[in-house]
């Protein structure tokens, strides 16, 4: 396999990067693992869900560095918003 690192705004670059990754596989058939290091939180989960829906060759999408104890990522009940979003995803 090949590991490639891309830096840039995921909302601007991701479609093109994934399109090239899929096209570069043998006969257009590639398996892709995606590691998102931004955006953070629920926005990252929603982006990962969208990628999994639109690009069937993406086998796994991971979200990096969502602080577990940071109160900005918790709702009024203390539940971690990213975890809640991931648990309710149809891709789990």
């Amino acid at each position: 396999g090949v590991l490639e690192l891309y830096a840039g705004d995921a909302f601007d670059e991701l479609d093109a990067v994934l399109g090239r990754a899929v096209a570069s596989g043998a006969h257009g058939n590639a398996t892709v693992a995606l590691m998102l290091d931004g955006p953070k939180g629920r926005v990252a989960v929603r982006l990962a869900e969208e990628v999994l829906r639109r690009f069937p060759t993406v086998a796994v999408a991971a979200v990096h560095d969502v602080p577990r104890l940071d109160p900005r990522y918790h709702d009024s009940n203390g539940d971690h918003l990213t975890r809640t979003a991931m648990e309710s995803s149809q891709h789990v």
Side-chain angles (χ1 to χ4, degrees):
V2 175
L3 176 64
E4 296 182 24
L5 173 66
Y6 294 92
D9 186 326
F11 292 102
D12 294 333
E13 307 293 332
L14 200 52
D15 279 1
V17 169
L18 290 174
R20 286 192 304 270
V22 170
S24 69
H27 307 291
N29 186 12
T31 301
V32 176
L34 176 65
M35 172 66 166
L36 295 171
D37 189 25
K40 304 294 185 203
R42 287 186 293 181
V43 176
V45 174
R46 298 296 180 245
L47 179 59
E49 287 178 321
E50 179 70 10
V51 165
L52 290 167
R53 185 182 65 76
R54 293 182 53 225
F55 294 92
T57 57
V58 176
V60 63
V63 178
H64 177 256
D65 196 25
V66 179
R68 185 173 53 88
L69 300 177
D70 189 328
R72 294 175 298 169
Y73 294 100
H74 290 84
D75 65 13
S76 60
N77 296 322
D79 295 326
H80 198 279
L81 297 170
T82 304
R83 180 181 183 131
T84 301
M86 292 176 80
E87 288 173 346
S88 66
S89 173
Q90 68 182 24
H91 298 284
V92 173

